[in-house]
Amino acid sequence: MTVKTAPVRLTADDAALRAQYLDEVLSVLYPPPMFTTNGPGSIEFVVVPDRARARLLVPASPRRIAAAAVRRYAEPQSRGAKLKREAVVAALQTGAAGLLMRDRVRIDGPRDASIDAYLERVLGKRTALSVHIGPARANRKPVLQLIDDAGTTCGFVKLGTGPLTRELVEAETAALRTLDGAPLPHLTVPQVLHAGRWGAHQVLIQSALPVWRPRASLSPRRLAAAMRDVAGCLGYTYGPLTSSPYWKSLTDRLAEVADREEGAQLGRAARLLADRAGQISLRYGAWHGDWAPWNMAALDDTVLLWDWERFTPGVPAGFDAIHHELQRRVQSDPDATGALEATMQRAGELLHPFEVAPGARELTALLYLVDLAVRYLIDRQAEAGARLGVLGSWLLPVLIRRVEGNRK
């Protein structure tokens, strides 16, 4: 998950951690006998904007490919961010990057050991690549943009390099294959171009969605229609919460974190919720799992939606609507608790398009909070330094208060 926060002063620790992760990514993509060098190298990247705040590595040449890598990677979430992106593009196009972005990464050694060589073998063609350097989070992984000689983005690569990220890359591969051919009239999703293993790493290459096309406004009705496409893509089932496969899966996941204080609190809240409302019948469908403003783009004729690694069938219908609202709010509000409270107040309105019965809407919203919280705990987001990883500072108090306040 990517969140936009208020500007903060970059500390020495922040810079060191960012630089450390940059080195870790490079050691994955260019393992020994390849090596980084301060002298001439066969591969050279520009670090955008600099090593202490690294966000993106782009090819040092040719200039048009470097500029395309920045312009085509992602759509900025604000006007200020867009202006900054265009300034970087202009610097790369004109050659001023040498003055404005002086940090370089140079790599040498036998190319056969590199990710570039692997990608050329499986795709049957050579492409340039840029490397995204993401924020701290447990599911952070190398993400590469593939750019052809014309400056067109022709795909994205995800690498699962540890137990969690390998599992997520495999899950996204399975999700995209499941969705291939599914009835999604309001959505466009990536296609799998290649999936396999490169050494110890799980690889997914997926087609690039045209995020550079002009954006269109997205009404609540149109957003809900797209979300209903996903909810119903594998059909629906119905039944009481505590006798559903979803409840069995959720309780199994809760058991994984029961030995931690936050996990124990979460388990108690879930049991209270089940005691109070376990016999309420729910409608179960699929959800994207991380439908947030930064994982989508609305065009005139479709909604582009990516990052399917959390796709799950058989959850209470409407989870995506609650998640999107919460992520939209925490993206711009430093008060996560206030953002969550405001989201919960809108739960009934958000769930109405999913045919959730009025008596089941509060239960559905609270189950979403339990589901999200157990994901954070299993992934150990707090230990990874994720902004909202410490659940006791925002999510758990709201959940417990609402469950206990309505206890009968």
Side-chain angles (χ1 to χ4, degrees), residues 41 57 63 141 320:
L57 302 181
R63 292 176 185 175
K141 67 185 76 64
D320 274 327

Side-chain angles (χ1 to χ4, degrees), residues 80-377:
K82 186 172 184 178
L83 290 173
K84 290 179 182 178
R85 182 194 68 176
E86 292 307 312
V88 171
V89 169
L92 291 167
Q93 286 176 323
T94 61
L99 297 174
L100 299 178
M101 291 169 284
R102 297 185 178 184
D103 288 349
R104 298 288 190 274
V105 172
R106 297 179 180 89
I107 303 160
D108 210 348
R111 186 177 180 274
D112 284 350
S114 71
I115 185 64
D116 305 65
Y118 172 80
L119 295 174
E120 184 176 344
R121 285 196 301 272
V122 299
L123 293 174
K125 61 181 179 180
R126 180 173 290 198
T127 59
L129 60 85
S130 66
V131 185
H132 176 58
I133 307 298
R137 50 183 179 162
N139 52 318
R140 179 166 61 176
K141 67 185 76 64
V143 178
L144 318 177
Q145 179 186 194
L146 302 178
I147 309 157
D148 65 19
D149 290 340
T152 299
T153 301
C154 52
F156 284 93
V157 183
K158 290 187 177 183
L159 292 178
T161 59
L164 173 60
T165 56
R166 280 194 291 268
E167 180 181 327
L168 291 173
V169 170
E170 289 176 343
E172 182 162 16
T173 303
L176 294 177
R177 285 174 169 162
T178 296
L179 293 165
D180 188 21
L184 302 170
H186 303 93
L187 283 173
T188 301
V189 305
Q191 293 184 322
V192 175
L193 301 179
H194 168 79
R197 298 278 288 197
W198 177 52
H201 312 311
Q202 192 68 32
V203 182
L204 168 62
I205 308 176
Q206 54 188 277
S207 61
L209 297 178
V211 296
W212 47 86
R213 284 181 53 192
R215 302 299 174 90
S217 60
L218 184 64
S219 67
R221 178 175 295 183
R222 189 177 172 209
L223 177 60
M227 289 179 173
R228 287 198 303 271
D229 281 357
V230 176
C233 69
L234 301 178
Y236 291 103
T237 59
Y238 301 83
L241 170 64
T242 51
S243 58
S244 68
Y246 171 74
W247 180 250
K248 173 63 166 60
S249 173
L250 184 61
T251 53
D252 287 347
R253 293 163 62 209
L254 285 165
E256 293 183 44
V257 297
D259 59 343
R260 286 181 261 168
E261 177 56 32
E262 287 185 325
Q265 294 179 48
L266 185 60
R268 287 193 294 271
R271 288 190 294 273
L272 282 174
L273 188 59
D275 290 344
R276 173 166 64 88
Q279 294 308 305
I280 291 178
S281 184
L282 297 174
R283 188 186 197 211
Y284 304 92
W287 75 314
H288 173 275
D290 194 15
W291 197 316
W294 48 87
N295 285 336
M296 61 175 290
L299 309 183
D300 280 336
D301 55 347
T302 189
V303 173
L304 311 178
L305 187 61
W306 55 90
D307 279 359
W308 288 86
E309 61 192 28
R310 303 287 187 173
F311 175 78
T312 309
V315 308
F319 269 18
D320 274 327
I322 304 293
H323 186 80
H324 179 274
E325 178 71 7
L326 176 59
Q327 303 311 313
R328 182 184 69 81
R329 290 180 179 274
V330 299
Q331 182 183 31
S332 57
D333 189 346
D335 178 12
T337 300
L340 178 53
E341 291 281 18
T343 298
M344 295 300 289
Q345 290 171 10
R346 289 200 63 208
E349 175 188 352
L350 294 167
L351 293 171
H352 176 72
F354 297 87
E355 300 180 22
V356 180
R361 290 174 187 172
E362 180 188 32
L363 172 61
T364 298
L366 292 174
L367 285 170
Y368 160 74
L369 295 186
V370 175
D371 202 293
L372 182 67
V374 75
R375 175 195 298 180
Y376 274 41
L377 290 176

